[in-house]
PDB file of all heavy atoms in Angstrom:
ATOM      1  N   CYS R 338      70.463 126.669 191.663  1.00 98.00           N
ATOM      2  CA  CYS R 338      71.687 127.028 192.532  1.00 98.00           C
ATOM      3  C   CYS R 338      71.242 127.377 193.999  1.00 98.00           C
ATOM      4  O   CYS R 338      70.183 127.600 194.212  1.00 98.00           O
ATOM      5  CB  CYS R 338      72.413 128.168 191.877  1.00 98.00           C
ATOM      6  SG  CYS R 338      71.573 129.773 192.001  1.00 98.00           S
ATOM      7  N   MET R 339      72.303 127.322 194.778  1.00 98.00           N
ATOM      8  CA  MET R 339      72.158 127.853 196.155  1.00 98.00           C
ATOM      9  C   MET R 339      73.311 128.858 196.419  1.00 98.00           C
ATOM     10  O   MET R 339      74.536 128.489 195.915  1.00 98.00           O
ATOM     11  CB  MET R 339      72.246 126.664 197.164  1.00 98.00           C
ATOM     12  CG  MET R 339      72.355 127.091 198.614  1.00 98.00           C
ATOM     13  SD  MET R 339      70.631 127.357 199.237  1.00 98.00           S
ATOM     14  CE  MET R 339      70.003 125.672 199.479  1.00 98.00           C
ATOM     15  N   ALA R 340      72.985 129.918 197.126  1.00 98.00           N
ATOM     16  CA  ALA R 340      74.053 130.904 197.397  1.00 98.00           C
ATOM     17  C   ALA R 340      74.033 131.249 198.841  1.00 98.00           C
ATOM     18  O   ALA R 340      72.924 131.305 199.437  1.00 98.00           O
ATOM     19  CB  ALA R 340      73.913 132.213 196.563  1.00 98.00           C
ATOM     20  N   SER R 341      75.221 131.437 199.511  1.00 98.00           N
ATOM     21  CA  SER R 341      75.188 131.742 200.948  1.00 98.00           C
ATOM     22  C   SER R 341      76.297 132.871 201.157  1.00 98.00           C
ATOM     23  O   SER R 341      77.386 132.765 200.580  1.00 98.00           O
ATOM     24  CB  SER R 341      75.525 130.628 201.820  1.00 98.00           C
ATOM     25  OG  SER R 341      75.675 130.999 203.145  1.00 98.00           O
ATOM     26  N   VAL R 342      76.061 134.024 201.701  1.00 98.00           N
ATOM     27  CA  VAL R 342      76.978 134.987 201.847  1.00 98.00           C
ATOM     28  C   VAL R 342      77.176 135.172 203.429  1.00 98.00           C
ATOM     29  O   VAL R 342      76.191 135.455 204.200  1.00 98.00           O
ATOM     30  CB  VAL R 342      76.447 136.331 201.272  1.00 98.00           C
ATOM     31  CG1 VAL R 342      77.527 137.440 201.463  1.00 98.00           C
ATOM     32  CG2 VAL R 342      76.160 136.098 199.765  1.00 98.00           C
ATOM     33  N   ALA R 343      78.479 135.040 203.835  1.00 97.00           N
ATOM     34  CA  ALA R 343      78.816 135.272 205.264  1.00 97.00           C
ATOM     35  C   ALA R 343      78.826 136.803 205.567  1.00 97.00           C
ATOM     36  O   ALA R 343      78.787 137.660 204.692  1.00 97.00           O
ATOM     37  CB  ALA R 343      80.196 134.679 205.622  1.00 97.00           C
ATOM     38  N   SER R 344      78.904 137.032 206.857  1.00 95.00           N
ATOM     39  CA  SER R 344      78.967 138.419 207.306  1.00 95.00           C
ATOM     40  C   SER R 344      80.162 139.231 206.793  1.00 95.00           C
ATOM     41  O   SER R 344      80.079 140.536 206.624  1.00 95.00           O
ATOM     42  CB  SER R 344      78.770 138.595 208.838  1.00 95.00           C
ATOM     43  OG  SER R 344      79.859 137.844 209.390  1.00 95.00           O
ATOM     44  N   ASP R 345      81.271 138.531 206.510  1.00 96.00           N
ATOM     45  CA  ASP R 345      82.378 139.228 206.010  1.00 96.00           C
ATOM     46  C   ASP R 345      82.471 139.232 204.416  1.00 96.00           C
ATOM     47  O   ASP R 345      83.351 139.674 203.882  1.00 96.00           O
ATOM     48  CB  ASP R 345      83.693 138.524 206.555  1.00 96.00           C
ATOM     49  CG  ASP R 345      83.784 137.037 206.079  1.00 96.00           C
ATOM     50  OD1 ASP R 345      82.822 136.592 205.350  1.00 96.00           O
ATOM     51  OD2 ASP R 345      84.807 136.449 206.327  1.00 96.00           O
ATOM     52  N   GLY R 346      81.337 138.848 203.834  1.00 96.00           N
ATOM     53  CA  GLY R 346      81.202 138.872 202.379  1.00 96.00           C
ATOM     54  C   GLY R 346      81.664 137.600 201.690  1.00 96.00           C
ATOM     55  O   GLY R 346      81.460 137.346 200.479  1.00 96.00           O
ATOM     56  N   GLN R 347      82.340 136.675 202.496  1.00 98.00           N
ATOM     57  CA  GLN R 347      82.699 135.434 201.763  1.00 98.00           C
ATOM     58  C   GLN R 347      81.462 134.681 201.325  1.00 98.00           C
ATOM     59  O   GLN R 347      80.465 134.496 201.949  1.00 98.00           O
ATOM     60  CB  GLN R 347      83.501 134.433 202.722  1.00 98.00           C
ATOM     61  CG  GLN R 347      84.027 133.174 202.212  1.00 98.00           C
ATOM     62  CD  GLN R 347      85.084 133.530 201.084  1.00 98.00           C
ATOM     63  OE1 GLN R 347      85.845 134.450 201.325  1.00 98.00           O
ATOM     64  NE2 GLN R 347      85.084 132.785 200.076  1.00 98.00           N
ATOM     65  N   THR R 348      81.520 134.371 199.977  1.00 98.00           N
ATOM     66  CA  THR R 348      80.325 133.864 199.315  1.00 98.00           C
ATOM     67  C   THR R 348      80.533 132.375 198.800  1.00 98.00           C
ATOM     68  O   THR R 348      81.605 132.098 198.154  1.00 98.00           O
ATOM     69  CB  THR R 348      79.981 134.699 198.056  1.00 98.00           C
ATOM     70  OG1 THR R 348      79.770 136.031 198.638  1.00 98.00           O
ATOM     71  CG2 THR R 348      78.742 134.111 197.318  1.00 98.00           C
ATOM     72  N   ASP R 349      79.569 131.485 199.042  1.00 98.00           N
ATOM     73  CA  ASP R 349      79.590 130.159 198.594  1.00 98.00           C
ATOM     74  C   ASP R 349      78.429 130.047 197.666  1.00 98.00           C
ATOM     75  O   ASP R 349      77.305 130.476 197.849  1.00 98.00           O
ATOM     76  CB  ASP R 349      79.499 129.228 199.748  1.00 98.00           C
ATOM     77  CG  ASP R 349      80.782 128.964 200.341  1.00 98.00           C
ATOM     78  OD1 ASP R 349      81.627 128.197 199.734  1.00 98.00           O
ATOM     79  OD2 ASP R 349      81.063 129.356 201.511  1.00 98.00           O
ATOM     80  N   ILE R 350      78.718 129.299 196.494  1.00 98.00           N
ATOM     81  CA  ILE R 350      77.768 128.973 195.582  1.00 98.00           C
ATOM     82  C   ILE R 350      77.896 127.459 195.369  1.00 98.00           C
ATOM     83  O   ILE R 350      78.877 126.859 195.113  1.00 98.00           O
ATOM     84  CB  ILE R 350      77.952 129.647 194.204  1.00 98.00           C
ATOM     85  CG1 ILE R 350      77.974 131.176 194.424  1.00 98.00           C
ATOM     86  CG2 ILE R 350      76.837 129.242 193.283  1.00 98.00           C
ATOM     87  CD1 ILE R 350      78.426 131.878 193.105  1.00 98.00           C
ATOM     88  N   TRP R 351      76.680 126.715 195.298  1.00 98.00           N
ATOM     89  CA  TRP R 351      76.593 125.322 194.974  1.00 98.00           C
ATOM     90  C   TRP R 351      75.662 125.368 193.697  1.00 98.00           C
ATOM     91  O   TRP R 351      74.551 125.837 193.720  1.00 98.00           O
ATOM     92  CB  TRP R 351      75.885 124.571 196.065  1.00 98.00           C
ATOM     93  CG  TRP R 351      76.792 124.579 197.292  1.00 98.00           C
ATOM     94  CD1 TRP R 351      77.600 123.541 197.711  1.00 98.00           C
ATOM     95  CD2 TRP R 351      76.767 125.432 198.398  1.00 98.00           C
ATOM     96  NE1 TRP R 351      78.199 123.799 198.937  1.00 98.00           N
ATOM     97  CE2 TRP R 351      77.659 125.011 199.390  1.00 98.00           C
ATOM     98  CE3 TRP R 351      76.180 126.654 198.700  1.00 98.00           C
ATOM     99  CZ2 TRP R 351      77.972 125.674 200.531  1.00 98.00           C
ATOM    100  CZ3 TRP R 351      76.403 127.336 199.769  1.00 98.00           C
ATOM    101  CH2 TRP R 351      77.282 126.853 200.697  1.00 98.00           C
ATOM    102  N   CYS R 352      76.137 124.713 192.621  1.00 97.00           N
ATOM    103  CA  CYS R 352      75.355 124.729 191.449  1.00 97.00           C
ATOM    104  C   CYS R 352      75.903 123.663 190.482  1.00 97.00           C
ATOM    105  O   CYS R 352      76.980 123.180 190.681  1.00 97.00           O
ATOM    106  CB  CYS R 352      75.256 126.062 190.702  1.00 97.00           C
ATOM    107  SG  CYS R 352      76.902 126.628 190.163  1.00 97.00           S
ATOM    108  N   SER R 353      75.096 123.376 189.524  1.00 94.00           N
ATOM    109  CA  SER R 353      75.551 122.435 188.432  1.00 94.00           C
ATOM    110  C   SER R 353      75.739 123.365 187.190  1.00 94.00           C
ATOM    111  O   SER R 353      74.846 124.156 186.848  1.00 94.00           O
ATOM    112  CB  SER R 353      74.721 121.244 188.188  1.00 94.00           C
ATOM    113  OG  SER R 353      73.320 121.710 187.969  1.00 94.00           O
TER     114      SER R 353
END
Side-chain angles (χ1 to χ4, degrees):
C338 70
M339 174 81 79
S341 177
V342 181
S344 55
D345 63 355
Q347 186 62 38
T348 299
D349 275 288
I350 304 171
W351 295 264
C352 64
S353 52

